Amino acid sequence: MFNLYQSLNKKDESDGQRGRESEVTGHDRFCQHRSGHSSSRRRRRAVNRRTQSATELNARAMMSARGSLRRGRSVSTEDDESEDDKGHQLANKLDNLAKLLFSRVSAARGYKDQGDIKNGRYTALNHGSKAGEDGVEYVEMEKRSRDRALSICRDYIEKTPRFALIKQLSNIGSRVDKYWFMVRDTSLKTDRLLTLVPLNRNCPLSVCPSTKDILNNLFLALQHPYICPVFTVDFVEYEDQTYIVLVQPINQGSLKDLIYSIERNCWNEDWSHKYASRGKGLTLPQVQRMGRQILEALIFLKERGFPTVTHLHSGNVVIQNGVARLAGLENTLLGFTSRIHPIVTSRLTQSSSIDIICFGHMLFEMCAGYELCTFRPSATQLSDIEIYPQVIRFLELIFAESDNHFASIEELLIHDLFRNIDLREMRCAAVTVFRPTLTPSIMSLLDGIKRQDAGKSWHKTRSISDVHLTRRF
């Protein structure tokens, strides 16, 4: 019985030891579990690896091994010495060749450096200093031109007591010779946007008081929910140069700002900084609603006898309370060319379709978030707007020409893309807005501009045909 209890106690002690060991190990996934009987594992006996002494070996075998060892050592030593000699000779030859090449290159460089020193020119430093000088010169020219524009604006404000100058704005647009100012209309107690730009030689208008009155009456008659108004048009003479002054409302943001997600308080930042990165584009309902509003403005201008709008792009469409309003109409009357003019006219022989191509470019930018740099979008560019299948079909209609004939504004207006669009601003407008009274002087001015535009397109068509005839014969 005593032996039985003794065996049971030994078993309990062993079980308790295993339990304590498992508690210490725990259940951490990074900890390896140890077995409880590891301590009771028997150790292997050490193997007897006693080395035999030399007396236990065969004497003859020992002598033969020593002889072969000596012979092998001598042969290998001789081989190593011969290989070392060959390697040393090869290294000497390479070293001499490298020294020769280095001396020739150094001599050539020294001769060139001496020639440069004698001639007084250092090419790398010269390019760097020239680039720095060009940058400094550009900054100085920009500052002088802005100071000159500020002086002109101050002279105009002094002669016009209705406005008070607040500050000069940054380069909001891409035109390098156009300047923007924020002024205060003292009669209405509100802020306005004043722009100043010099007239060029291509201006079809004669600068006189009657022309100024006609332009003011024209913009007064072109009041429309989807056209940005122009309150004042005036001419300024400054040092034998004629400038045109326009006063417009301040609309905090354009369609381009909306495409590139520019915040409303950043509308007056520099143009080159705002659109440096790619935009996100607009949603399909936004594209449909604003596209329809712009088409309504274009059809209104066409029915009133206004010349073809050649400056239609996202920067000339202002957004006011979610409504797109066409701006920049004065550029068509003054003979200016837009930044995208060379692209949109690269395959046109008449100016009557420029507004259609410009509208297609603007519609693509509204969806893709970047400008179209070619006349028509390629397959790769259309793949960027594949989520707008209706817009892709519409762009195919715009850029599908047959005998240099493109779709008209009326055809675009009845397209399925712009159907069932709620134009609530049109319902709230007065009836007299859609039937403005244009005086004979206004109609005469517009007809003269259209005749001049037709003459330009005829010269372009004739020059292109002459080129084809020259190549053919």
Side-chain angles (χ1 to χ4, degrees):
M1 182 66 67
F2 179 77
N3 294 331
L4 178 61
Y5 282 114
Q6 190 175 6
S7 61
L8 290 175
N9 290 332
K10 290 182 179 180
K11 185 177 181 181
D12 293 337
E13 289 177 1
S14 62
D15 292 339
Q17 186 177 3
R18 292 177 186 176
R20 287 193 300 270
E21 189 174 2
S22 63
E23 290 177 0
V24 173
T25 304
H27 300 283
D28 192 359
R29 58 178 298 185
F30 299 104
C31 183
Q32 296 180 356
H33 295 279
R34 293 178 295 179
S35 58
H37 58 278
S38 60
S39 60
S40 62
R41 183 180 298 173
R42 294 183 179 180
R43 297 181 180 179
R44 291 183 180 180
R45 293 182 179 180
V47 180
N48 188 6
R49 295 182 179 179
R50 186 179 65 86
T51 305
Q52 295 179 353
S53 62
T55 57
E56 296 177 356
L57 296 174
N58 191 358
R60 292 183 179 180
M62 192 67 183
M63 293 297 294
S64 62
R66 288 180 179 178
S68 61
L69 181 61
R70 290 176 181 176
R71 289 192 300 270
R73 183 181 297 175
S74 62
V75 172
S76 62
T77 304
E78 292 175 357
D79 293 337
D80 292 339
E81 290 176 357
S82 62
E83 290 177 1
D84 291 338
D85 293 337
K86 292 180 180 179
H88 184 67
Q89 293 177 0
L90 181 60
N92 290 334
K93 291 181 180 180
L94 292 176
D95 190 19
N96 294 331
L97 181 60
K99 289 180 180 179
L100 179 62
L101 294 175
F102 180 77
S103 61
R104 291 184 178 180
V105 171
S106 300
R109 288 181 178 177
Y111 177 77
K112 184 177 180 181
D113 293 339
Q114 290 178 0
D116 291 341
I117 293 173
K118 290 180 181 179
N119 296 330
R121 55 185 176 89
Y122 294 90
T123 55
L125 295 177
N126 191 16
H127 285 297
S129 61
K130 185 177 181 181
E133 291 176 358
D134 292 341
V136 173
E137 185 178 359
Y138 175 78
V139 172
E140 292 179 354
M141 291 178 60
E142 177 70 15
K143 186 178 183 303
R144 287 196 299 266
S145 61
R146 287 180 59 86
D147 293 341
R148 175 185 173 89
L150 182 59
S151 301
I152 299 173
C153 182
R154 285 174 176 172
D155 292 344
Y156 175 75
I157 293 298
E158 291 178 357
K159 300 176 183 178
T160 310
R162 179 177 178 177
F163 301 109
L165 179 62
I166 298 177
K167 64 177 180 179
Q168 184 177 10
L169 301 176
S170 302
N171 296 328
I172 301 176
S174 60
R175 188 175 296 278
V176 295
D177 56 350
K178 190 173 184 178
Y179 305 94
W180 290 261
F181 303 89
M182 183 181 294
V183 297
R184 180 74 174 178
D185 191 341
T186 56
S187 60
L188 299 178
K189 306 299 181 181
T190 183
D191 296 340
R192 300 298 187 191
L193 180 66
L194 186 145
T195 59
L196 179 70
V197 59
L199 297 179
N200 55 20
R201 298 178 180 178
N202 297 326
C203 180
L205 303 178
S206 59
V207 180
C208 58
S210 61
T211 303
K212 182 185 72 173
D213 296 336
I214 293 174
L215 290 177
N216 282 290
N217 294 330
L218 171 62
F219 286 110
L220 183 61
L222 296 180
Q223 293 185 3
H224 193 270
Y226 305 133
I227 294 178
C228 183
V230 177
F231 298 132
T232 303
V233 179
D234 204 347
F235 296 106
V236 177
E237 295 287 340
Y238 188 85
E239 296 181 357
D240 299 333
Q241 178 68 46
T242 304
Y243 295 83
I244 184 169
V245 177
L246 284 89
V247 180
Q248 297 174 290
I250 294 180
N251 300 285
Q252 296 182 353
S254 63
L255 178 59
K256 201 175 193 68
D257 294 335
L258 185 63
I259 295 173
Y260 290 85
S261 302
I262 305 299
E263 297 181 359
R264 290 175 57 88
N265 56 353
C266 301
W267 65 273
N268 56 352
E269 290 186 357
D270 195 271
W271 180 86
S272 59
H273 298 161
K274 289 195 298 182
Y275 314 120
S277 59
R278 179 174 175 175
K280 297 181 180 179
L282 307 180
T283 62
L284 183 59
Q286 288 178 316
V287 173
Q288 291 176 320
R289 185 180 71 256
M290 295 183 182
R292 175 64 184 273
Q293 293 170 354
I294 296 170
L295 287 177
E296 290 289 343
L298 292 177
I299 197 68
F300 171 80
L301 294 173
K302 184 178 180 180
E303 291 176 352
R304 301 305 176 271
F306 196 85
T308 303
V309 179
T310 58
H311 289 255
L312 177 59
H313 55 82
S314 59
N316 279 339
V317 177
V318 298
I319 305 299
Q320 185 179 14
N321 297 326
V323 178
R325 309 191 72 180
L326 184 60
L329 299 180
E330 70 280 356
N331 297 318
T332 303
L333 304 176
L334 301 175
F336 294 144
T337 56
S338 64
R339 181 174 52 87
I340 63 174
H341 183 79
I343 299 176
V344 298
T345 59
S346 59
R347 299 186 182 182
L348 294 179
T349 57
Q350 54 184 357
S351 60
S352 59
S353 302
I354 294 180
D355 53 352
I356 304 298
I357 303 301
C358 290
F359 183 78
H361 279 241
M362 184 182 60
L363 201 67
F364 177 84
E365 185 182 4
M366 293 170 67
C367 299
Y370 63 91
E371 292 184 355
L372 192 62
C373 58
T374 56
F375 179 78
R376 58 168 54 91
S378 62
T380 304
Q381 293 168 337
L382 290 177
S383 63
D384 293 338
I385 59 172
E386 59 183 1
I387 61 175
Y388 307 93
Q390 296 179 347
V391 177
I392 293 178
R393 291 193 295 268
F394 184 81
L395 292 177
E396 292 175 352
L397 173 64
I398 288 181
F399 294 101
E401 59 175 320
S402 58
D403 297 332
N404 201 25
H405 175 72
F406 296 88
S408 61
I409 300 178
E410 292 80 4
E411 294 175 355
L412 301 182
L413 195 62
I414 61 175
H415 193 269
D416 294 338
L417 181 63
F418 300 112
R419 285 186 179 180
N420 301 324
I421 303 299
D422 185 15
L423 302 176
R424 63 185 67 181
E425 296 81 14
M426 300 284 285
R427 297 197 306 265
C428 300
V431 180
T432 56
V433 172
F434 305 104
R435 293 182 180 180
T437 56
L438 299 181
T439 61
S441 58
I442 295 177
M443 296 301 299
S444 176
L445 183 141
L446 296 178
D447 291 339
I449 295 175
K450 287 189 288 186
R451 284 195 301 268
Q452 186 170 357
D453 292 341
K456 291 180 181 179
S457 62
W458 180 79
H459 285 297
K460 183 176 181 180
T461 306
R462 186 179 64 176
S463 62
I464 292 176
S465 61
D466 291 342
V467 171
H468 286 295
L469 290 175
T470 304
R471 290 180 179 178
R472 183 179 301 175
F473 297 100

